[in-house]
């Protein structure tokens, strides 16, 4: 199959064909991670660029995101493994002010596949709700996602809120999202940063052992 078709399908928000194209890729033997990165994610990156340059608007960006999600649903059973032993518990969410969840969902999906119990607390989650979730669920890891430069500071606000609640040393905090960097993660006192979902699994495995 031609990956370009899948890329274009996301760019065009062609809901009718995304399922078929992903299935075609799988039956042609294209690796699921390639369909994800070089197909679906590449399409969304182009959408992001077009949005930035004013060639495409919010409704189109949303439609492209929904197309991507449909594609990911088809890929899901092929991307995740079948670990049976629980590797640990992760509470994961997107920080306050931010509704982007595709990346977070991918990270959650891969962690589940790697045997973690994942409690997804959703999007636009205020620091106090995140603290409450950590208090109640007692996870080994808290995963925080931020996609906007304007919501990155909420990562720090959340870590500070954990400190204030006396919970900071009870949970490892890992952060991620397109604008987040290792330097920023270090600066705000996170325990780890991963640039993609596969990296998040490696990081989480390391964090539960440390
Ligand atoms: Co938004 N948006 N958006 N958007 N959007 C971006 C992020 C943007 C870069 C587009 C652009 O201008 N080029 C830009 C941010 C600019 C900035 O801050 N510097 C932007 C903007 C401006 C906005 C709005 C403000 C637009 C407006 O209203 N004027 C608005 C904000 C809404 C809000 O949150 N309050 C907005 C809205 C939206 C939609 C709702 C339309 C939609 C989101 C739908 C959804 O998520 N359900 C949307 C989309 C789709 C995008 C782009 C095009 C794609 C994001 C995405 O899903 N990427 C995006 C441009 C881009 O990224 N190319 C853009 C695919 C995904 C797999 O990647 O999320 O990076 P990503 O996740 C990766 C890694 O980052 C990492 O692993 C994932 C898998 O590899 N990762 C983690 C993520 N979280 C992690 C957590 C971890 C570890 C790794 O540990 C816990």
């Amino acid at each position: 199959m031609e990956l370009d078709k899948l890329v274009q399908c996301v760019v065009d928000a062609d809901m009718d064909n995304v399922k078929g194209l992903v299935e075609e890729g799988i039956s042609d033997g294209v690796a699921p991670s390639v369909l994800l990165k070089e197909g679906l994610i590449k399409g969304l990156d182009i959408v992001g660029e077009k949005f930035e340059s004013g060639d495409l608007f919010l409704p189109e960006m949303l439609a492209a995101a929904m197309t991507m999600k449909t594609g990911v649903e088809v890929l899901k059973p092929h991307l995740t493994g079948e670990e049976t032993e629980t590797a640990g518990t992760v509470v994961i969410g997107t920080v306050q002010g931010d509704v982007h969840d595709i990346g977070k969902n991918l990270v959650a999906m891969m962690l589940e596949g790697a045997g973690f119990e994942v409690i997804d607390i959703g999007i636009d989650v205020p620091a106090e709700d995140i603290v409450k979730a950590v208090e109640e669920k007692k996870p080994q890891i808290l995963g925080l996602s931020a996609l906007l430069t304007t919501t990155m500071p909420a990562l720090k606000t959340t870590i500070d809120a954990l400190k204030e609640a006396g919970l900071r040393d009870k949970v490892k905090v890992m952060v991620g999202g397109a604008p987040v960097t290792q330097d920023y993660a270090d600066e705000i006192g996170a325990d780890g940063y991963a640039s993609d979902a596969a990296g998040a699994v490696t990081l989480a495995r390391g964090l539960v052992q440390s």
Side-chain angles (χ1 to χ4, degrees):
M1 72 107 43
E2 293 163 42
L3 277 168
D4 284 353
K5 275 195 196 164
L6 188 55
V7 174
Q8 198 56 42
C9 179
V10 174
V11 176
D12 295 341
D14 182 359
M15 274 293 229
D16 294 339
N17 286 314
V18 66
K19 194 166 173 277
L21 281 173
V22 173
E23 282 167 352
E24 187 186 317
I26 290 165
S27 63
D28 286 355
V30 184
S33 61
V34 170
L35 291 168
L36 178 69
K37 285 187 202 150
E38 290 168 35
L40 298 170
I41 293 183
K42 196 168 166 190
L44 265 192
D45 282 343
I46 294 173
V47 168
E49 284 159 20
K50 282 180 181 279
F51 175 77
E52 214 172 339
S53 60
D55 293 328
L56 189 148
F57 300 97
L58 204 58
E60 286 121 314
M61 188 151 80
L62 190 56
M66 285 160 73
T67 310
M68 158 97 182
K69 282 188 173 187
T70 304
V72 170
E73 277 308 306
V74 184
L75 269 186
K76 193 172 174 177
H78 302 275
L79 277 172
T80 55
E82 287 191 2
E83 294 278 342
T84 45
E85 247 175 69
T86 307
T89 304
V90 181
V91 163
I92 193 166
T94 302
V95 294
Q96 185 162 31
D98 202 321
V99 305
H100 295 86
D101 69 352
I102 296 173
K104 168 192 64 75
N105 294 348
L106 275 175
V107 171
M109 204 172 94
M110 299 287 276
L111 286 171
E112 264 174 11
F116 286 88
E117 185 196 339
V118 178
I119 301 163
D120 189 339
I121 54 172
I123 53 172
D124 188 14
V125 194
E128 54 271 29
D129 291 359
I130 298 173
V131 168
K132 216 179 285 168
V134 169
E135 218 160 26
E136 283 169 10
K137 308 292 180 193
K138 302 189 176 26
Q140 281 91 351
I141 297 176
L142 170 65
L144 298 173
S145 185
L147 258 287
L148 300 168
T149 42
T150 50
T151 56
M152 272 170 67
L155 295 171
K156 181 176 187 309
T157 312
T158 306
I159 291 177
D160 291 346
L162 282 173
K163 278 184 200 156
E164 261 179 47
L167 292 169
R168 183 61 191 95
D169 59 349
K170 303 262 187 297
V171 67
K172 303 282 184 193
V173 181
M174 71 180 199
V175 295
V180 183
T181 60
Q182 181 67 59
D183 280 352
Y184 187 73
D186 293 342
E187 194 186 310
I188 64 173
D191 298 299
Y193 157 79
S195 63
D196 61 18
V201 171
T202 310
L203 175 64
R205 283 189 173 134
L207 287 176
V208 285
Q209 276 160 19
S210 64

